[in-house]
Amino acid sequence: MTPLIFPLDHLAEAAPYLDDETLLSYLSEGQSESFEGFEDFDLLAFDWYDIHSERTETAKLLLYLSREKLIFFCESEAAEACVRAIVTPLGDGHTSEELAYRFFQRLLAGDMDRLDRFEEAVGEAEETILSGPVEGQKAILSQLTAWRRELLRMKHYYEQLSAILDALAEDEEQLLTKPIRRRMLILDRRLDRYLGAVRNLQEVVSQLREAYQSQLSIQQNELMKLFTLVTAVFLPLTLLTGWYGMNFTNIPELSWEYGYPAAIVVSVVIVVLLLWHFKKKRWL
């Protein structure tokens, strides 16, 4: 058989191919959920997301699956192009259940490679945060935010597909043969691995955000430490300045020949002693 593909906003064109006349109005109201099993057919729905491109938009995909028919309803042109790219090369000579299985199989093809590349990029970001310059860390922070949003979309996408494949593997209405149900179960287990990888990446990205905040706090503390040490060094000098700045005329040092050089020497000695003390305490 040849699967049929229709835009979601052209549901009326699919009316002659649907076994249930009331299904058309049901679909037009947008009430379909991820999986709904009827007596003679199954209705599958999920938000398609192309994880291999820079596109972040999702599009609704509906699948009408019976023993004799497989019909796709696509919300966007990109989703329709994806469906056609998957099912067109399959050609005729397949049953509806085989086409449904091959569709989901090819839909998930290459996803693990994409997740592996994602993980490598996250690893490089970790090195930048821990050892890179502040400018690079700021760029990584915006990247972490984008990754967090993308991982949320991936998680939602895979959870929908997992629910669909799990329901197809059970197939309470017995629309699928036992070999196809077994294959659907294998795909469902693969999706579980994908979901596990996505959740692990979510944890890593969250930890990287925390590591960035910690690294930023450490740098701020180092800067405050420097300011504190500078203040501590010049505080005694400020005391001397205030002392000699008082409006007194009978200070002995003023009439002493070496009073001014002595004040300079005392100031230098104070600075040197404080720096030596800070160095000894490893504050510098």
Side-chain angles (χ1 to χ4, degrees), residues 155-174:
K155 179 174 176 290
H156 178 66
Y157 173 59
Y158 286 140
E159 284 176 342
Q160 293 178 91
L161 291 179
S162 180
I164 290 173
L165 293 177
D166 184 60
L168 287 174
E170 294 180 358
D171 189 29
E172 295 180 356
E173 299 298 332
Q174 297 297 315

Side-chain angles (χ1 to χ4, degrees), residues 21 23 54 70 95 103 184 187 212 214 217 255:
E21 297 180 356
L23 182 61
E54 299 298 326
L70 177 61
T95 63
F103 168 76
M184 291 293 186
L187 278 183
Y212 171 79
S214 300
S217 298
S255 59

Side-chain angles (χ1 to χ4, degrees), residues 230-245 267 270-271:
V230 170
T231 302
V233 168
F234 286 97
L235 185 60
L237 305 183
T238 304
L239 176 61
L240 291 176
T241 302
W243 185 10
Y244 282 98
S267 299
I270 291 174
V271 171

Side-chain angles (χ1 to χ4, degrees), residues 129-146:
I129 288 177
L130 297 179
S131 60
V134 176
E135 292 77 9
Q137 294 177 9
K138 291 180 179 179
I140 288 297
L141 181 61
S142 61
Q143 183 64 67
L144 291 176
T145 303

